[in-house]
Amino acid sequence: MTLPAKNIATIAPMVGLILIGWIVEVFGLYFLQKSCHKHATPAWAAAAGFPAVGTCWKMYRFEWATILFELVCVLGLMFTLTKANAIRRYRLSFLGLLAIGAILHIFSANSTLNLQDTVPTKTFLSHTEHTRARITSGSFAFGAAFTIALMFVLGEDDAPLGSGSEIDNQQALLNDNLNV
């Protein structure tokens, strides 16, 4: 069960695309957090589905944790790409980490999508903040999509079917011989 050589060549560009989305996430979330100090945070946060907390840092902490988690996963993946055969050794671990990262991205995209769906008024969001929420939501969705695509690339196996690397439906899972 090893990663095909053709897939190793496609991992680096996909990681690059994830990093581009990550940069947009960082700046989008930074400017959203920076501009939320102008509003009564509990009022508009509750309308957008965020927790009603007093500070903007506490409101966006889940999204920041998502960004940090994805950065650690991607940097670890880039590090293993530079080592000889390390990606083949640790690919199953990365599959699990990327699955967690994809779920976190989907939740973050949902929360920023709720924020963008609030009606921009003077008391909630300005039109600029509304646009920032759209960009941030799109970047989280972009990150989730490419993380899932990277999971498919890492999950492919080069073993031929019937070689024993998968469960064969023709073989009994239990021994039918009852001799003890």
Side-chain angles (χ1 to χ4, degrees):
M1 287 183 38
T2 61
L3 186 67
K6 65 181 171 86
N7 286 13
I8 293 175
T10 60
I11 292 173
M14 292 185 81
V15 169
L17 287 171
I18 290 172
L19 281 176
I20 289 171
W22 182 84
I23 290 169
V24 175
E25 290 170 9
V26 167
F27 283 106
L29 195 57
Y30 169 76
F31 285 113
L32 272 176
Q33 184 172 353
K34 184 177 174 185
S35 65
C36 84
H37 291 290
K38 301 174 187 173
H39 307 291
T41 306
W44 70 269
F50 283 92
V53 294
T55 63
C56 289
W57 172 251
K58 287 184 179 180
M59 189 175 71
Y60 289 115
R61 62 185 170 204
F62 179 78
E63 285 75 18
W64 284 114
T66 300
I67 289 173
L68 183 64
F69 184 82
E70 184 74 13
L71 176 68
V72 170
C73 289
V74 168
L75 288 179
L77 191 58
M78 289 173 56
F79 178 73
T80 58
L81 284 174
T82 61
K83 299 291 183 184
N85 206 22
I87 191 66
R88 294 175 190 223
R89 180 181 301 162
Y90 299 114
R91 74 183 180 102
L92 294 178
S93 300
F94 279 113
L95 279 173
L97 291 172
L98 289 172
I100 293 168
I103 296 298
L104 291 175
H105 266 83
I106 290 168
F107 280 126
S108 295
N110 183 42
S111 61
T112 52
L113 187 64
N114 289 340
L115 180 60
Q116 89 167 16
D117 286 342
T118 57
V119 178
T121 63
K122 279 195 155 191
T123 56
F124 283 156
L125 296 170
S126 68
H127 288 288
T128 303
E129 292 167 321
H130 198 259
T131 303
R132 288 178 187 155
R134 283 185 177 190
I135 291 170
T136 307
S137 176
S139 65
F140 276 117
F142 180 84
F146 276 97
T147 301
I148 292 170
L150 185 60
M151 286 171 48
F152 278 108
V153 170
L154 280 176
E156 188 177 356
D157 194 359
D158 65 351
L161 290 176
S163 65
S165 64
E166 72 284 331
I167 295 177
D168 190 358
N169 289 335
Q170 303 300 319
Q171 297 174 352
L173 294 177
L174 298 174
N175 188 356
D176 289 337
N177 192 357
L178 296 177
N179 295 337
V180 181

